[in-house]
């Protein structure tokens, strides 16, 4: 018997403008939804201004569930659309 951990695949993005890196980071964290983590936040200076802009990308990390099957093919077939298999372990 194989047991897999699966999780929904979901992401969101938020654009913010700030005057310091700390300001940009604080604004991004304020937009973070429960169950998501900030995965990427490249920053670029705005031309002709003393401000910077960032597009923060958040990935979902909650909603983990277990599924079971007799073999890997059956296990992969049980992964719902929009979900990702994180790990597999054997009960043998």
């Amino acid at each position: 018997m194989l047991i897999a951990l699966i999780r929904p695949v979901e992401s969101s993005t938020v654009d913010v403008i700030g005057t310091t890196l700390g300001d940009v980071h604080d604004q991004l964290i304020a937009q973070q939804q429960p169950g998501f983590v900030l995965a990427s936040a490249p920053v670029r200076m705005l031309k002709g201004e003393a401000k910077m802009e960032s597009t923060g990308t958040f990935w979902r990390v909650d909603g983990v569930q277990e599924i079971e099957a007799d073999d890997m093919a059956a296990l992969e077939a049980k992964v719902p659309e929009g979900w990702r298999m994180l790990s597999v372990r054997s009960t043998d």
Side-chain angles (χ1 to χ4, degrees):
M1 176 69 69
L2 297 175
I3 300 172
L5 290 178
I6 61 172
R7 177 178 68 210
V9 176
E10 187 178 346
S11 66
S12 64
T13 60
V14 175
D15 294 319
V16 298
I17 296 176
T19 55
T20 67
L21 288 174
D23 180 29
V24 168
H25 182 262
D26 290 346
Q27 289 184 56
L28 288 169
I29 295 304
Q31 297 290 325
Q32 184 173 327
Q33 299 173 13
F36 286 75
V37 295
L38 181 60
S40 173
V43 176
R44 61 203 159 276
M45 294 300 296
L46 293 175
K47 190 173 185 174
E49 297 187 49
K51 294 182 180 178
M52 55 190 74
E53 180 179 34
S54 178
T55 300
T57 301
F58 298 89
W59 291 343
R60 186 170 181 180
V61 294
D62 68 349
V64 175
Q65 296 181 11
E66 284 189 350
I67 57 173
E68 298 179 0
D70 291 328
D71 58 42
M72 194 64 183
L75 195 61
E76 289 171 340
K78 284 185 148 185
V79 177
E81 181 72 29
W83 288 66
R84 173 183 300 149
M85 192 179 311
L86 303 174
S87 65
V88 178
R89 71 179 192 275
S90 174
T91 60
D92 298 335

